[in-house]
Amino acid sequence: MLVIGLTGGIATGKSSVSSLLAAHSIPVVDADLLAREVVAPGTPGLRAIARAFGAENVLLPSGELDRKALGAIIFADAQKRKVLNGIVHPAVRRALLWGVVRAWLRGERVCVLDVPLLIEGPMWKLVSKVVVVYWCVPCLVFVFVVPVFVVRVRVPASVLSSLLLRL
């Protein structure tokens, strides 16, 4: 099975590209969605965060993660941010891998991993191809990074907007 890593900066259109791929029945495993799932109420991830930072400091009365409170804690202290990343990142990586395994078990020929920090983390080692999405004016450029060369495919803004209107 071909595993493709999809990445790019903030607000470059990764979600739009993921939506287009999913609309064509290509399985997409989204790291941002998984990051929320691994800290949902009742998960080992949320229990670990509550133990590390104190349930009274990071949980809402409903038992959900208080993202605002946790953000205030970790953005004020780099060591605490490392602790949080040490809890969340491995859980997200496991969930990504299980997403690929499930696609393989279903007999899919391709699976896309939508990972904003694909290159910065170890996940790039697990993909066959990397697609970087970034904006250039007046067109969206997909960069396919192949082991030996780079291929750029330009999509004019007019074509992109017509595709997005169909979503």
Side-chain angles (χ1 to χ4, degrees):
M1 179 176 67
L2 177 65
V3 180
I4 300 171
L6 178 67
T7 193
I10 295 171
T12 56
K14 289 183 306 296
S15 295
S16 297
V17 172
S18 287
S19 295
L20 289 169
L21 294 170
H24 287 87
S25 301
I26 297 172
V28 176
V29 184
D30 188 329
D32 286 339
L33 293 176
L34 294 176
R36 290 191 172 274
E37 289 177 12
V38 301
V39 297
T43 61
L46 185 59
R47 285 192 295 275
I49 290 170
R51 275 193 310 275
F53 297 98
E56 67 282 355
N57 297 323
V58 295
L59 295 182
L60 296 169
S62 65
E64 293 178 297
L65 181 64
D66 185 342
R67 294 177 183 283
K68 185 175 179 181
L70 182 59
I73 293 168
I74 63 148
F75 290 121
D77 185 331
Q79 188 58 36
K80 289 182 180 177
R81 190 166 46 253
K82 282 185 180 181
V83 169
L84 177 65
N85 288 342
I87 295 167
V88 175
H89 290 181
V92 171
R93 283 194 294 269
R94 278 190 300 276
L96 283 166
L97 289 173
W98 276 112
V100 172
V101 168
R102 282 191 296 276
W104 179 75
L105 289 171
R106 287 191 312 266
E108 302 287 353
R109 296 180 62 213
V110 65
C111 181
V112 176
L113 298 182
D114 182 343
V115 183
L117 299 175
L118 179 72
I119 305 302
E120 294 83 352
M123 293 305 295
W124 68 270
K125 297 174 187 175
L126 303 175
V127 302
S128 304
K129 305 285 185 219
V130 175
V131 176
V132 179
V133 180
Y134 69 95
W135 280 107
C136 81
V137 179
C139 59
L140 178 66
V141 177
F142 299 99
V143 179
F144 296 87
V145 181
V146 186
V148 181
F149 58 91
V150 175
V151 178
R152 288 195 173 127
V153 179
R154 293 185 180 271
V155 179
S158 58
V159 172
L160 178 65
S161 63
S162 69
L163 288 173
L164 293 178
L165 289 175
R166 293 183 202 166
L167 295 179

